[in-house]
Structure formats: structure tokens, C-alpha cells
Amino acid sequence: MDVCFSLRSEAVGAMRAALVSAESLQLTLKTELSQEEQALTHTDSSPKEEHKAGNEDLKEMLESNKESLKLEAMKRIVGLIAKGKNASELFPAVVKNVASKNIELKKLVYVYLVRYAEEQQDLALLSISTFQRALKDPNQFIRASALRVLSSIRVPIIVPIMMLAIKEAAADLSPYVRKTAAHAIQKLFSLDPDQKEQLIEVIEKLLKDKSTLVAGSVVMAFEEVCPDRIDLIHKNYRKLCNLLVDVEEWGQVVIISMLTRYARTQFISPWQEDAMFDENNEKAFYDSDSEEKQGHMESKPYIMDPDHRLLLRNTKPLLQSRNTAVVMSVAQLYWHLAPKHEVSIVTKSLVRLLRSHREVQYVVLQNIATMSIQRKGMFEPFMKSFYVRSTDATHIKTLKLEILTNLANEANISTILREFQTYVKSQDKAFAAATIQAIGRCATNISEVTDTCLNGLVLLLSNRDETVVAESVVVIKKLLQTQPSEHSEIIKHMAKIFDNITVAMARASILWLMGEYCERVPKIAPDVLRKMAKTFTAEEDIVKLQIVNLAAKLYLTNSKQTKLLTQYILNLGKYDQNYDIRDRTRFIRQLIVPSEKSGSLNKYARRILLASKPAPVLESAFKDRDRYQLGTLSHSLNTKVGGYQELSDWPVVAPDPCVRNVEVVEPVRTLSSSHTFSYSGSESEEESSEESEKTSSDSGKSSSESEESSSESESEQKKKKKTKKAPQKKNKPTVADRYSEIPPVCQTLKASFFFSEYLLSRCHLFLSFSGCPLFFVCLLHHMTGKGLSAKYHFPRQPCLYQPSMVAVQVTLTNSSDHSLEEIHIGGRNPASLNIHCFNTIELLEPEASVTVSMGIDFSDSTQAANFQLCTKEDQFNVSIQPAVGELLMPSTMTEPDFCKEQSKLLGMNETSATITMATANTSSQTIRKQVLSVANVGVVSSSQNDFHRFAGRTVSSGALVLVSLELKDSTALLTINTEKSVVASMLLRDLKQALTQA
């Protein structure tokens, strides 16, 4: 019997495989045949049509009944995504397979959904109940993938669901799921920052996790959500230090960065002048010092904290990491935390990184350049590593040049200058110019080689390359300002070659030198001015300004020879096209030429124009970059960027180190469920209890995992069990009871979201939340639209496309018996409003519906937005007109702030009316409900029962709109304060109608 059964099973399996292969072969042949027919009939078909045909093939495979075809289709789709191609139009076909029982297929579907869930939010929401069930799946990868997809749907309405899922996942037995929960924390925080306190509780719990898989992710969540909560790190500091070596590489980068900031707040500076160190002073941490050693250490003025030494010791091995970011992180940690004599251990590792890619070299060289300014001795032994190669990129060459200049001293300057002589001859003109600037810096910093550098630069003035000559002139000009009396011959030489120089900056520099030191070259300067008078109109603006300055200075020092030349130049400048030159000319004329208008200013002309100028200081571009933490984007860009956290100064007195002491508790086995609630109201309490018992028994089998993830003591668990026993068995909690603490959606999320009948029937949670009714307006009737119908509503959410736009959701339905293709927004009136269109819907099957999002900037008016709704064959004129209340967004405000802002909007900015309230509308809850149904405003808490206040801003311009209602028996005074008088009158009318009708 067993043999027969086995043979029969093998035969059935073979038949199934043959059927699948035959169907696959038939589909392949069918596809190839259709492609050949298209090639014969449409030889000039476009790539877009071919791509479309390929997508149709994938859709057909996804709708097949065979799991193998679906799996093959998903592999191809994920492959398209990996190549960077757009596969978003397959979303409806893919999302149908989200509930598949095939684990491999479900994994691929989740990978796809993570990529497109944010773009196709409406369709993704339809599968939310499936994700909730997947959070209870026995497979850890399915649970993690479901949480990843759920956190990728950027819709505020599901924030409570995401929060509950994250809390459950944080207690999961699988460290992979807990890691995913840490990633989801950051997504939820960016979606709704109001959840910060609850997320901090989850972070605090995950920080206690002993798994190296979780450590990096939870620290990243800590850095995003609450980087200032250093108190959460105290108890976990030593654990993180010890786990650091085993954490994955990018987690190491995050943890090292966080611990660097932590150490600067908890330990005193090791950079004290009288500090003395012992390489083995960490032995105090293990209480193994001898009495002699202890007595010796007590005599020292500084002893490093054992926890400080623990961090340095545990990060040192990571200098050998294969990941350049990890090495760079350890280097910056040592730079900011280690004693000065220990920092040099990072130099060899940093030099090793220079063998990597150019991008890595660039960042590493920037950090080395900053280090080399303060501590030259660190990198001096590796000076040859910074010699420039011809294959280096220009920005790499420039950074190496910067480092060599920083390392220059009396001992090695001759070697460095020999290198610079080679670099000047480079074909890279920008690099040659940078080399000349470096020579100037060396000449300034090292007085012994100043004359040598100056003579070398003068020789470069005869170079054939204009860029080299121009840069040499600029550098010589700066050097001559330090000792002009000794180098008058150089100024004469520059005057002789002046006619051969064409670069404007170089010509301007020579003219400035002539004017500044005209008394030292009394015969040459007037002749130069004579030549400049001839070519004045043809010169660049920067040269013209220096000609005017030269004329003015010569007028004051050698008026006899240059008076007429000066007047001629001033007359030319008076009518120049550049207003800067005209203004300079007028000012100079009034300053140097005595007249009645100039008054007493002429007396101070020599003191103004011929005043001695301080010599320029040639400094490194990296001199002040140490104000930013090394390795950060702010340091790389030399400017503070968003998200940068300042590195605090060392404390004068170290905080109490006892805060880092942790009591050692033996691990206790705990039976924690890795599953989440089912949000469907159809499940009974008995089923939930059976499921929890099953989970407990399953979790008992994997005791080793529970031991690792457990961080609670036995006494704490007993307390928890006592508090959870009785009430749950007596009363069956309903869905409303479970979520009674969650406030209504109208107050917290400020909007309600459109869900299909399928989602509303499956997810009772949203029914309990729904406090604001949805109003749908017909955009296009199916009779007018030839089978295409459309309706729209305002979801009262911030628009994803532009902050000034109002979000609109349009539901398109195909009521015809044939498919509709290429549904899109067509022509618009040129004077129409700014509209962000939805993406073209390539195909809409009969009886199918799809919801798309739009954005419209109504400019704070109820003017209708007119446009065409088009299909492949037809165009239909439609319009969307908002109620005035939909042009607002809620504003959070306290009662004193409300009164303060209201006092600023009086007079013409105030509109009021006395209304007779309907009896049913006198309660506070009803008044808020009626006002919120009319206008998208926020509720302002009031200390008076007869006062109700609401605040909002217009979406387009952000103008403040304040609504107040003062109850007086059966009447009420309704007041609206805003600069938008039209908005105020229309809003007053709508609110009056809502409050007076029951």
C-alpha cells in the first residue's frame, strides 16, 4: 500500500508539473506569437508600446491560478525595480496576491509594496487587514515584512495601528522583527511627531535588548527621535561598548557617533596640560591594581574614567575594519575624546583609506587637512603619501596640496618646494594656480624661504600660461605688502611685463601695487597711468576701478606730471556704463580736487587714500573647520546643515559615574507573544484566548531565544500577571473598548480618509474612529462620461505635492461594459488655478474603481478649478469647487495666544453675527461637531463653558482665521477674525446655517 501510494503521489506530482510546464510553455508561445505579429504589423512600434505589452504579460501571469506563474512574474517585477524601471502600474495586480499562502510569493509581494506603498496609498490601504494578519504569521520574515509595509503607508489615519504594531513587534521573540520595529519608529515619528512620548518608551525598551542585530537600529531611532535624552543611555552604555565589535558595520557608525556625543557630556577633558596617563590605567576597572600602582595614580592630577577608557579600548580594533565609514568614525572619536598622545594611532588607518575610491579619498583628505593644522607631527612620517599623482582628480590634488602646505616646516620645506616646482608645470591649470597659492602660504609662514619663494614667483611671470602668470601676480602682490621697501625692483619688473598680461585680476593687482607704492617708483607709475588712459574704455570693470585709484594717488603725490591725465580719466569714468565706476569717479573727484562743494573733506584726502594697509594673512581654508565634528556633512561643506548636533564642551566636573551601574539579574524565561491583535470585530474572545495559549506554548519551545530577549526580573513579571488576571475574563472587551484611549480622528488627525466598502467592512477600527462625515460631490456622471463616472471629496490632509495646495481625492469608476484606457487630466484654461494632476491610469476594467490624489491651489478663494477629464477617445469638461471651510488647515493654539491674536485682528478684520441656536446644538460636543463639519479648523481649549474657540490658517497664504462662539441662553455671538474678509463672510454664512439647523 505504501509503495502504491508513493507511486500514485509521484504520478500526480509529475502530472501537475507537466500541466504547469505546458501552461507556461503555452503562455510563452502565445507571448512570442503576439510579439511576432506586432513586429510584422507594426515595424515602427515604440519602446513604450513594447513595455506596455510586457506589462500585460506580467498582469496575465499574476492573475493566473498557478502559483508558479505568479512567483515567476513577481521575480521579473522585482528585477525591473532593481534595474530602476517603473513598475507602479502593476500595483493593482500585485496587491491582489498579498494574501497568498506561498511564503516566497508573499515575500516578493511585500518587497514590491514597500517600494510603492507611499505612491499608491489608496490601494495599499485596502490590504491593511491582510497586513494585520501577517503580523501574527509564524514566519519572522513575513511578520517583519508586514510591519515594514505598514510603516511605509504614509497616511495619518493609521497611526494608531502602526503604534500598536510597533509595540507588539518590539516584544517579538525574533531579533529581526525587533530590528524592523526600530526602523518603523523613525517612519512613524516623521509621519506624526505627536507620538514622540510613546515612541520613547519603545526605544527605552529596545535599548535594553542584548541582540547585536537590534543595537544599531535602535540607536538610529534614538538619534532621530530623542537625541537629547542622554539619560536613556546611562544603563546601556557599557553594554553598547561591549557589543560594538559584533554589531553590523553601519550600526557601528551610528553607535560610535552617539557615544562620542555622550562621552563629551559625561567625562572630563583628557587634554589638560598637567595630565599624566598610564597605558594600563583601565586595570582599575577590574580592581586589579597593586598598592604601589594605586599610590602612584593618586599623586597624578588626572585619572581617566574607566568607562572613558572602555570606550577607547573597544573602538580601537575597529580601525582595521574593511568599511571606510567605520574607520572614519573611530578616527573622529579618538580625535575628539582621546588624550593627545594617543590620537596618532589613527594616522596609519586613515592613510590606508587613501587607496580607496576617489569619493572616499576626498572625505578622508578633508579630515586629514583639518587634523594636520593642529597636529603636524601626526602625519609628517606619511608625507610621501600625500604627493600628487598625475592620475588624481583636481579636487584630490588640491586637498593633498593643502595637507603638504600644512605639514611644511623648516626641516622639510626644501623637499616640499621641489614638489611644488613640479606641480606648477601641470597641465591642470586650476591645480597649477592652487600650487602658486600654496607657495605663497609657505613663504608667509616660514620666513627663511620668503625670498626664495618670491624669486621663484617672479620667474613664473615669464611663463607662457596666462593663468600661471595671473596667479603669480596676485600672490606676489600679497607678499610684497609684508616688506615693500625691499622689493621695488620686483614692482618695476611687473610694470615692464604689464602689457603682456591679459587676465583682468592680474592687471588690477599690478595697478594696485603701482598706486600703493607709487612713491617708490616715481618715474614708472606716471608712465603706466599714461598707457592706461589710452585703453581705459576697453578695460574690464575691475581694472577701471584700479586705474581711477592709481590716478587719484598719483594726483596727490605727483600732481605736476599727472594732473591732466587724472582729469581726463575722471571725465571718462564719469560717463562709464557701470554705475560703480561712475560713483567711484564722482567720489574721487570731490575728494582730491578742491572745490566749494567738497568742503573740508579735501584736507583728509592723503590720509584716506595713502593710509598704510595691513598685510594680508594667507591661511588654510581648513583653519576653522574644527568647529564642526570630524566626519560630518557640516565639516565637509564647512557650513552647518540641518540635523547637525553640536559637540558639547567637556564638563568641568564629571557627572556621577554611578548612573552607568547596572544590577546583574539572572535571565528569566518569559512567554511573550510575537503576535498582534486582530482588528477584525468578527473574531470572538474565545478565539483570541486560544490563539494566545497556542502562542505561549510555541514560545516555550524556543527558550533560548526568550532568554536572550528577556530583560525583566521575576518579581516584575509576577506583578504584571497579577494586574492582568481578573477583569479580562469577566467582560469581553469590544473593539471600542480596546481603543477608547485614542481620541476621535477629527481632533487628532484633523481629517477623515476615504475607504472603500471592502476596507470599512473588514476594519471596524476605522468605524469607531469616524467622527466627521464624508461628503462626495459628483464630478462626472456616467451617462455624460460615456461610462466613466467620477466623484471627489476633500480628505483634509496636507497636500503631498505643495504646501499651498488643497488635497483632493477623486474616485474614478468604469460603469461601462468595456475597458477604458489612458485616463488622465487634459487641457486647462490658461487662466485656471495651479493643479497637480494624477498619473495617467493606463487601464480601468469594467465595474472597477480607482481613487487618485490631486492637489489644487485655490489661492484662498472658492473659484472653481476647471479642467478636462480625458480617456483615450474622449474629453469631458469638469470642475472642482471647494466649500470655504476646505480652504483651511487646523492651527494649534492656546487660549491666551488666541486672545492675543484676536486683539490684532479687529476693526475691518472682524466679522460677527448674532444667531439663534437650535436646541439640539447647544452642547459643547455638538457645537464642535457642527463647526468641524463646516470648516477644517482646530479646537482651542477654553476655560469657560459658554465660550468655544477654533483656529485655522488658509492653506494657500497661511492667513490666520479665528472663530469664536459666545453662548447667551438660546442665542450666540459668532465672530470671525481674519485678514481675508471674503473668506470671513462666506465662512460666517456656512457656520450660521449649520448651527441654526438641528
Side-chain angles (χ1 to χ4, degrees), residues 930-986:
Q930 294 290 73
V931 172
L932 293 175
S933 67
V934 173
N936 185 20
V937 291
V939 180
V940 179
S941 59
S942 176
S943 58
Q944 299 170 299
N945 295 329
D946 56 348
F947 261 91
H948 299 276
R949 297 181 174 89
F950 307 86
R953 291 186 180 274
T954 58
V955 175
S956 183
S957 63
L960 195 62
V961 178
L962 304 177
V963 180
S964 58
L965 187 72
E966 182 181 4
L967 299 178
K968 298 178 180 178
D969 298 328
S970 60
T971 63
L973 179 61
L974 178 61
T975 305
I976 299 177
N977 300 84
T978 180
E979 297 174 353
K980 303 285 184 179
S981 56
V982 178
V983 172
S985 60
M986 297 177 71

Coordinates of all heavy atoms in Angstrom, one line a residue, residues 930-986:
Q930 N -20.5 70.3 14.7 CA -21.1 71.1 13.7 C -20.0 72.1 13.0 O -20.0 72.2 11.8 CB -22.2 72.0 14.2 CG -23.4 71.1 14.7 CD -24.1 70.5 13.5 OE1 -23.7 69.5 12.9 NE2 -25.3 71.0 13.2
V931 N -19.2 72.7 13.9 CA -18.2 73.6 13.3 C -17.2 72.8 12.5 O -16.8 73.3 11.4 CB -17.5 74.4 14.5 CG1 -16.3 75.2 13.9 CG2 -18.5 75.3 15.2
L932 N -16.7 71.7 13.0 CA -15.7 70.9 12.3 C -16.3 70.3 11.0 O -15.6 70.1 10.0 CB -15.2 69.7 13.1 CG -14.4 70.2 14.3 CD1 -14.0 69.0 15.2 CD2 -13.1 70.9 13.9
S933 N -17.6 70.1 10.9 CA -18.2 69.6 9.7 C -18.2 70.7 8.6 O -18.2 70.4 7.4 CB -19.7 69.1 9.9 OG -20.5 70.2 10.3
V934 N -18.2 71.9 9.0 CA -18.2 73.0 8.0 C -16.7 73.5 7.7 O -16.4 73.7 6.5 CB -19.0 74.2 8.6 CG1 -18.8 75.5 7.7 CG2 -20.4 73.9 8.8
A935 N -15.9 73.6 8.7 CA -14.5 74.1 8.5 C -13.5 73.2 9.0 O -13.6 72.6 10.1 CB -14.4 75.5 9.1
N936 N -12.4 73.1 8.3 CA -11.2 72.3 8.8 C -10.3 73.2 9.7 O -9.3 73.7 9.3 CB -10.4 71.9 7.6 CG -9.3 71.0 7.9 OD1 -9.3 70.3 9.0 ND2 -8.3 70.9 7.0
V937 N -10.8 73.3 11.0 CA -10.1 74.1 11.9 C -9.7 73.3 13.2 O -10.2 72.2 13.3 CB -10.9 75.4 12.4 CG1 -11.1 76.3 11.2 CG2 -12.3 74.9 12.8
G938 N -8.9 73.8 14.0 CA -8.5 73.1 15.2 C -9.2 73.7 16.4 O -9.6 74.9 16.5
V939 N -9.5 72.9 17.4 CA -10.2 73.3 18.6 C -9.2 73.9 19.6 O -8.2 73.3 19.9 CB -11.0 72.1 19.3 CG1 -11.7 72.5 20.5 CG2 -11.9 71.4 18.3
V940 N -9.6 75.0 20.1 CA -8.8 75.7 21.2 C -9.4 75.5 22.5 O -10.6 75.8 22.7 CB -8.6 77.2 20.9 CG1 -7.8 77.9 21.9 CG2 -8.0 77.5 19.5
S941 N -8.7 74.9 23.4 CA -9.3 74.6 24.7 C -9.6 75.9 25.4 O -8.9 76.8 25.4 CB -8.3 73.8 25.6 OG -7.1 74.5 25.7
S942 N -10.8 75.9 26.1 CA -11.3 77.1 26.8 C -11.6 76.8 28.2 O -12.0 75.7 28.6 CB -12.6 77.6 26.1 OG -13.1 78.7 26.7
S943 N -11.3 77.8 29.0 CA -11.6 77.7 30.5 C -13.0 78.0 30.8 O -13.4 77.9 32.0 CB -10.6 78.6 31.2 OG -10.8 80.0 30.8
Q944 N -13.8 78.5 29.9 CA -15.2 78.9 30.1 C -16.1 78.0 29.3 O -15.9 77.8 28.1 CB -15.4 80.4 29.7 CG -14.5 81.4 30.4 CD -14.5 82.8 29.8 OE1 -14.2 83.0 28.7 NE2 -15.0 83.7 30.6
N945 N -17.2 77.6 29.9 CA -18.1 76.6 29.3 C -18.9 77.3 28.2 O -19.4 76.6 27.2 CB -19.0 76.0 30.3 CG -18.3 75.1 31.3 OD1 -17.3 74.5 31.0 ND2 -18.8 75.0 32.5
D946 N -19.2 78.6 28.3 CA -20.0 79.3 27.3 C -19.2 79.9 26.2 O -19.7 80.7 25.4 CB -20.9 80.4 28.0 CG -20.0 81.4 28.8 OD1 -18.8 81.1 29.0 OD2 -20.5 82.4 29.2
F947 N -17.9 79.6 26.2 CA -17.1 80.1 25.1 C -16.5 78.9 24.3 O -16.0 78.0 24.9 CB -15.9 81.0 25.6 CG -16.2 82.5 25.5 CD1 -16.8 83.1 26.6 CD2 -15.9 83.2 24.4 CE1 -17.0 84.5 26.5 CE2 -16.1 84.5 24.3 CZ -16.7 85.2 25.4
H948 N -16.5 79.0 23.0 CA -15.9 78.0 22.1 C -15.0 78.7 21.1 O -15.5 79.6 20.4 CB -17.0 77.1 21.4 CG -17.9 76.4 22.4 ND1 -17.5 75.2 22.9 CD2 -19.1 76.7 22.9 CE1 -18.5 74.8 23.7 NE2 -19.4 75.7 23.8
R949 N -13.8 78.2 21.0 CA -12.9 78.9 20.1 C -12.2 77.8 19.2 O -12.0 76.7 19.6 CB -11.8 79.6 20.9 CG -12.3 80.7 21.8 CD -11.1 81.4 22.5 NE -11.6 82.5 23.3 CZ -12.0 82.5 24.6 NH1 -12.0 81.3 25.2 NH2 -12.4 83.6 25.2
F950 N -12.0 78.3 17.9 CA -11.4 77.5 16.9 C -10.4 78.3 16.1 O -10.6 79.5 15.9 CB -12.5 76.9 15.9 CG -13.6 76.2 16.6 CD1 -14.7 76.9 17.1 CD2 -13.6 74.8 16.8 CE1 -15.7 76.3 17.8 CE2 -14.6 74.2 17.5 CZ -15.7 74.9 18.0
A951 N -9.3 77.7 15.7 CA -8.2 78.4 15.0 C -7.8 77.6 13.8 O -7.8 76.4 13.8 CB -7.0 78.6 15.9
G952 N -7.5 78.3 12.7 CA -7.0 77.7 11.5 C -6.2 78.7 10.7 O -6.2 79.9 11.0
R953 N -5.7 78.2 9.6 CA -5.0 79.1 8.6 C -5.4 78.7 7.2 O -5.7 77.6 7.0 CB -3.5 79.0 8.8 CG -2.9 79.6 10.1 CD -1.4 79.5 10.1 NE -0.8 80.1 11.3 CZ -0.6 81.4 11.5 NH1 -0.9 82.2 10.5 NH2 -0.1 81.8 12.7
T954 N -5.4 79.7 6.3 CA -5.7 79.4 5.0 C -4.6 78.6 4.4 O -3.4 78.9 4.6 CB -5.9 80.7 4.1 OG1 -4.8 81.5 4.2 CG2 -7.1 81.5 4.7
V955 N -4.9 77.6 3.5 CA -3.9 76.7 3.0 C -2.9 77.5 2.1 O -1.7 77.3 2.1 CB -4.5 75.6 2.3 CG1 -3.5 74.7 1.6 CG2 -5.4 74.7 3.2
S956 N -3.4 78.3 1.2 CA -2.6 79.0 0.2 C -1.6 80.0 0.8 O -0.4 80.0 0.6 CB -3.4 79.6 -0.9 OG -2.6 80.1 -1.9
S957 N -2.2 81.0 1.5 CA -1.3 82.1 2.0 C -1.0 82.0 3.5 O -0.1 82.7 4.0 CB -2.1 83.4 1.8 OG -3.3 83.5 2.6
G958 N -1.6 81.1 4.2 CA -1.3 80.9 5.6 C -1.9 82.0 6.5 O -1.4 82.2 7.7
A959 N -2.9 82.7 6.1 CA -3.5 83.8 6.8 C -4.3 83.2 8.0 O -5.0 82.2 7.8 CB -4.4 84.6 6.0
L960 N -4.2 83.8 9.2 CA -4.9 83.2 10.4 C -6.4 83.5 10.3 O -6.8 84.5 9.9 CB -4.3 83.9 11.6 CG -4.5 83.3 13.0 CD1 -4.0 81.9 13.0 CD2 -3.9 84.2 14.1
V961 N -7.1 82.5 10.7 CA -8.6 82.5 10.7 C -9.0 82.1 12.1 O -8.8 80.9 12.5 CB -9.3 81.7 9.7 CG1 -10.8 81.8 9.8 CG2 -8.8 82.1 8.3
L962 N -9.6 83.0 12.9 CA -10.1 82.7 14.3 C -11.6 82.7 14.3 O -12.2 83.7 13.9 CB -9.5 83.7 15.2 CG -8.0 83.9 15.2 CD1 -7.5 85.0 16.2 CD2 -7.3 82.6 15.6
V963 N -12.2 81.7 14.9 CA -13.6 81.5 15.1 C -13.9 81.4 16.5 O -13.4 80.6 17.2 CB -14.2 80.3 14.3 CG1 -15.7 80.2 14.5 CG2 -13.8 80.4 12.8
S964 N -14.8 82.3 17.0 CA -15.2 82.2 18.4 C -16.8 82.3 18.5 O -17.4 82.9 17.7 CB -14.6 83.4 19.2 OG -15.0 84.6 18.7
L965 N -17.3 81.5 19.5 CA -18.8 81.4 19.7 C -19.0 81.6 21.1 O -18.6 80.8 22.0 CB -19.3 80.1 19.2 CG -20.8 79.9 19.2 CD1 -21.4 80.7 18.0 CD2 -21.1 78.4 19.0
E966 N -19.8 82.7 21.5 CA -20.1 83.0 22.9 C -21.6 82.7 23.0 O -22.5 83.4 22.4 CB -19.8 84.5 23.2 CG -20.1 84.9 24.6 CD -19.8 86.3 24.9 OE1 -19.5 87.0 23.9 OE2 -20.0 86.7 26.0
L967 N -22.0 81.8 23.9 CA -23.4 81.4 24.1 C -24.0 82.3 25.1 O -23.5 82.7 26.1 CB -23.4 79.9 24.7 CG -22.8 78.8 23.7 CD1 -22.9 77.5 24.4 CD2 -23.6 78.8 22.4
K968 N -25.3 82.7 24.8 CA -26.1 83.6 25.6 C -27.5 83.0 25.6 O -28.3 83.4 24.7 CB -26.0 85.0 25.2 CG -24.6 85.6 25.2 CD -24.7 87.1 24.6 CE -23.3 87.7 24.7 NZ -23.3 89.1 24.1
D969 N -27.8 82.2 26.5 CA -29.1 81.5 26.6 C -29.4 80.8 25.2 O -28.6 79.9 24.9 CB -30.3 82.5 26.9 CG -30.1 83.1 28.2 OD1 -29.6 82.4 29.1 OD2 -30.5 84.3 28.4
S970 N -30.4 81.1 24.5 CA -30.7 80.5 23.2 C -30.0 81.1 22.0 O -30.2 80.6 20.9 CB -32.2 80.4 23.0 OG -32.7 81.8 22.9
T971 N -29.3 82.2 22.3 CA -28.6 82.9 21.2 C -27.1 82.8 21.4 O -26.7 82.4 22.5 CB -29.0 84.4 21.1 OG1 -28.6 85.0 22.3 CG2 -30.5 84.5 20.9
A972 N -26.4 83.1 20.4 CA -25.0 83.1 20.5 C -24.4 84.1 19.5 O -24.9 84.5 18.5 CB -24.5 81.7 20.0
L973 N -23.2 84.7 20.0 CA -22.5 85.6 19.2 C -21.4 84.9 18.4 O -20.4 84.4 19.1 CB -21.9 86.7 20.0 CG -21.1 87.8 19.3 CD1 -21.9 88.6 18.3 CD2 -20.4 88.8 20.3
L974 N -21.5 84.8 17.1 CA -20.5 84.2 16.3 C -19.5 85.2 15.7 O -20.0 86.1 15.0 CB -21.2 83.4 15.2 CG -20.3 82.6 14.2 CD1 -19.4 81.6 14.9 CD2 -21.1 82.0 13.1
T975 N -18.2 85.1 15.9 CA -17.3 86.1 15.5 C -16.2 85.4 14.7 O -15.6 84.4 15.2 CB -16.7 86.9 16.7 OG1 -17.7 87.4 17.5 CG2 -15.8 88.0 16.2
I976 N -15.8 86.0 13.6 CA -14.7 85.5 12.8 C -13.7 86.6 12.6 O -14.0 87.7 12.1 CB -15.2 85.0 11.5 CG1 -16.1 83.8 11.7 CG2 -14.0 84.5 10.6 CD1 -16.7 83.2 10.4
N977 N -12.4 86.4 13.0 CA -11.3 87.4 12.8 C -10.3 86.9 11.8 O -9.7 85.8 12.0 CB -10.7 87.6 14.2 CG -11.6 88.2 15.2 OD1 -12.3 87.4 15.8 ND2 -11.7 89.5 15.4
T978 N -10.1 87.6 10.7 CA -9.2 87.3 9.7 C -8.9 88.4 8.8 O -9.8 89.3 8.6 CB -9.6 86.0 8.9 OG1 -8.6 85.7 8.0 CG2 -10.9 86.2 8.2
E979 N -7.8 88.4 8.1 CA -7.5 89.5 7.1 C -8.3 89.2 5.8 O -8.5 90.1 5.1 CB -6.0 89.5 6.8 CG -5.1 89.8 8.0 CD -3.6 89.7 7.7 OE1 -3.3 89.2 6.6 OE2 -2.8 90.1 8.6
K980 N -8.7 88.0 5.6 CA -9.4 87.6 4.4 C -10.9 87.9 4.6 O -11.6 87.0 5.1 CB -9.2 86.1 4.1 CG -7.7 85.7 3.9 CD -7.2 86.2 2.6 CE -5.8 85.8 2.3 NZ -5.2 86.2 1.1
S981 N -11.3 89.1 4.3 CA -12.7 89.5 4.5 C -13.7 88.6 3.8 O -14.8 88.3 4.3 CB -12.9 90.9 4.2 OG -12.5 91.2 2.8
V982 N -13.4 88.2 2.5 CA -14.3 87.4 1.7 C -14.4 86.0 2.4 O -15.5 85.5 2.5 CB -13.8 87.3 0.3 CG1 -14.7 86.4 -0.5 CG2 -13.7 88.7 -0.4
V983 N -13.3 85.4 2.8 CA -13.4 84.2 3.5 C -14.2 84.3 4.8 O -15.0 83.4 5.1 CB -11.9 83.7 3.8 CG1 -12.0 82.4 4.7 CG2 -11.2 83.4 2.5
A984 N -14.1 85.4 5.5 CA -14.8 85.5 6.7 C -16.3 85.6 6.5 O -17.1 84.9 7.2 CB -14.3 86.8 7.4
S985 N -16.8 86.3 5.5 CA -18.2 86.5 5.3 C -18.8 85.1 4.8 O -19.9 84.8 5.2 CB -18.4 87.5 4.2 OG -17.8 87.2 3.0
M986 N -18.1 84.4 3.9 CA -18.6 83.1 3.5 C -18.6 82.1 4.6 O -19.5 81.3 4.7 CB -17.8 82.6 2.3 CG -17.8 83.6 1.1 SD -16.8 83.0 -0.3 CE -17.6 81.6 -0.8

